[in-house]
Structure formats: C-alpha cells, structure tokens
Amino acid sequence: MVCCQHREEGGGPVTKILLADRIPEFSKRVAERFADRFAVRICENGEEVLEQCRLWQPDCILLDMELPLVDGLTILRTLYSSGQEVKILAKTSCSYSDYLVQSLVQLGVNYILPNPCTVTQAVSQLNSLASFETLDQWDDDDRILSLMLHMGLRYGKGGFACVCEAARLMMYDVDLPLTKVVYPEVARICGGNASRVERAIRSAIVYAWKNRDDRVWQYYFAPGRDGQIECPTNGEFLCRMALSLNRRKII
C-alpha cells in the first residue's frame, strides 16, 4: 500500500525514492524536502516495502531496520537474493556495532544512519544517494559534511566550517601538527587567525559532545571505565574523523 505519493514520473525518467519508516510523520517531513525533484512514496511496514520494490522498483530506499510485519534484514536479504539494484540508506539504532555494519554492507546497504536521527541528516544522506550513481562519486565535501552531521555538529554554528576544513587537511596526513600547520591553514581559508580557529574548533567539538548520541559516539570513541565518553581534544577528534574518512565511506 502506498501511503503517500508526492510526484509521479512524467516527461522523462525521474528518480524514485521509497521512504520506509515506522514513524509516518518522519517520512512525511523527509518527503516534503524532495517533492519538487523526485517521485516519492511512503511505506509504514515491511510488507508494503517488498510490494513497492516489486511493482514500483524504486531507485533509493530509506529503510528503517525495525519496521513492523517484515523487518529490515528480511527485506535486505530478499532484495539481495532477487538481484534488484537499489541504493539503500539503512536507519538503525545499532550503528555502533561493527558486526552489524559489515552484515548490512554485505547485503548491499550503501549508507548507515544512526537512529534516532534528524530529518536534516536523513535528507542530506538520501540526497547524496539519489544524486550519484555510486558512493564512489561522492566528493570530499559530501563525505566530510555527512560525517560532521552524523557526529552531531550543526551546520552554520560557529566552528563548523573550521572543523570541516581541518578534517579535510588531515584526511591526507593525520600527523599534521595542529598549531603549526592545520590551524594557520584553516585560518587562511575561513578567516581570522590560528588562535581563533583553535577556539572555534574547540567550541564546535564541545557542543557536539554535550549533545551527543552515545550510540553514535561509541563507534568512534571508547567509553572510559565509568562507561562515559570523555570529551576528546581537538587533535583526538580531528584525527579520528580523518581516519574514518580515509577508511571507508560507510559510517
């Protein structure tokens, strides 16, 4: 059953996006962001997803792994067995699990989104999937922006641009000295001076840490003996982000 359809194909091929989330309001808010560019349909359970994949054959799917009736893993196994080519953004509360990540990747998932997540995060990743034939076509800007949103940094908030530029520099050499190279170079790009850049990056990291989702942060930073994640230094955060950007495009 199609719960919501914002646009049908006409006058040429249109990218088809299927939004499958157990919270209808979340899907509707995401759909509103794509209604003028893509054909969008909404499903609220796994049976509807399988039916739409068979009849409508979407290009991209936002797939909640905890859908009712038929769960996400069953859907992925069915699509994988059928050989149907579709780009998948999986939404799961277990994104910190290396085992689950590898399992989802093997079943054809292109990107993993932590749950809960914001509409903005879902739209950003889904837009990237819909815009490129493969994730290999992502440029550095897409990958860095996606990771920073994933970590809870906020676009437009002070320090966001500085963190992104610093991560870009360290992608190619994680051993770059912050004080002598990274901060001055970021200051040249973003404006200000090295001291101001250092403070801006610190502010952005502290903000993200205070408002963090532990299920996401535990994937990047190990909790201490008390089970709590300590706020990383600028160097620790930037190095971990750079290594993640270099290691893979699946987060």
Side-chain angles (χ1 to χ4, degrees), residues 110-130:
N110 300 102
Y111 194 91
I112 297 171
L113 193 66
N115 187 34
C117 66
T118 66
V119 170
T120 298
Q121 288 173 313
V123 168
S124 174
Q125 306 310 330
L126 197 56
N127 186 61
S128 294
L129 282 180

Side-chain angles (χ1 to χ4, degrees), residues 8-219:
E8 284 291 355
E9 301 88 338
V14 176
T15 298
K16 296 182 287 186
I17 296 180
L18 186 66
L19 304 176
D21 197 284
R22 64 185 184 279
I23 303 177
E25 184 59 33
F26 183 88
S27 294
K28 291 177 182 177
R29 291 177 61 193
V30 174
E32 290 171 357
R33 305 282 288 272
F34 293 115
D36 61 340
R37 292 184 293 137
F38 304 128
V40 183
R41 294 187 180 185
I42 293 176
C43 295
E44 297 180 17
N45 63 66
E47 288 183 350
E48 293 176 0
V49 173
L50 292 175
E51 180 183 16
Q52 289 302 311
C53 286
R54 180 174 59 87
L55 299 176
W56 195 50
Q57 298 187 341
D59 299 297
C60 302
I61 303 176
L62 171 60
L63 180 63
D64 186 340
M65 296 302 295
E66 300 174 25
L67 286 172
L69 300 185
V70 179
D71 64 89
L73 279 176
T74 301
I75 293 171
L76 290 175
R77 292 190 182 105
T78 302
L79 294 176
Y80 184 81
S81 299
S82 70
Q84 183 172 343
E85 295 185 3
V86 56
K87 289 175 281 189
I88 300 171
L89 172 62
K91 180 183 174 188
T92 175
S93 59
C94 299
S95 59
Y96 56 83
S97 167
D98 282 337
Y99 173 77
L100 178 63
V101 167
Q102 294 304 318
S103 298
L104 295 183
V105 170
Q106 290 173 2
L107 289 171
V109 169
N110 300 102
Y111 194 91
I112 297 171
L113 193 66
N115 187 34
C117 66
T118 66
V119 170
T120 298
Q121 288 173 313
V123 168
S124 174
Q125 306 310 330
L126 197 56
N127 186 61
S128 294
L129 282 180
S131 300
F132 301 115
E133 292 183 5
T134 69
L135 282 182
D136 291 336
Q137 293 176 293
W138 278 26
D139 60 20
D140 289 346
D141 286 340
D142 294 309
R143 296 170 56 199
I144 293 169
L145 178 62
S146 298
L147 180 56
M148 295 312 160
L149 291 174
H150 180 65
M151 294 301 295
L153 278 80
R154 289 294 170 260
Y155 184 80
K157 191 173 181 64
F160 184 90
C162 292
V163 175
C164 290
E165 291 300 333
R168 187 196 311 280
L169 289 171
M170 295 181 67
M171 278 178 62
Y172 304 102
D173 185 356
V174 295
D175 295 321
L176 282 177
L178 294 181
T179 303
K180 293 183 178 181
V181 177
V182 176
Y183 295 153
E185 181 62 17
V186 172
R188 185 186 67 81
I189 297 170
C190 298
N193 55 48
S195 296
R196 183 176 179 181
V197 165
E198 180 179 10
R199 292 193 299 270
I201 290 177
R202 189 68 201 147
S203 176
I205 292 173
V206 170
Y207 172 86
W209 174 74
K210 287 182 177 179
N211 296 278
R212 71 189 181 278
D213 181 342
D214 277 338
R215 291 172 298 183
V216 174
W217 276 63
Q218 284 177 359
Y219 187 77

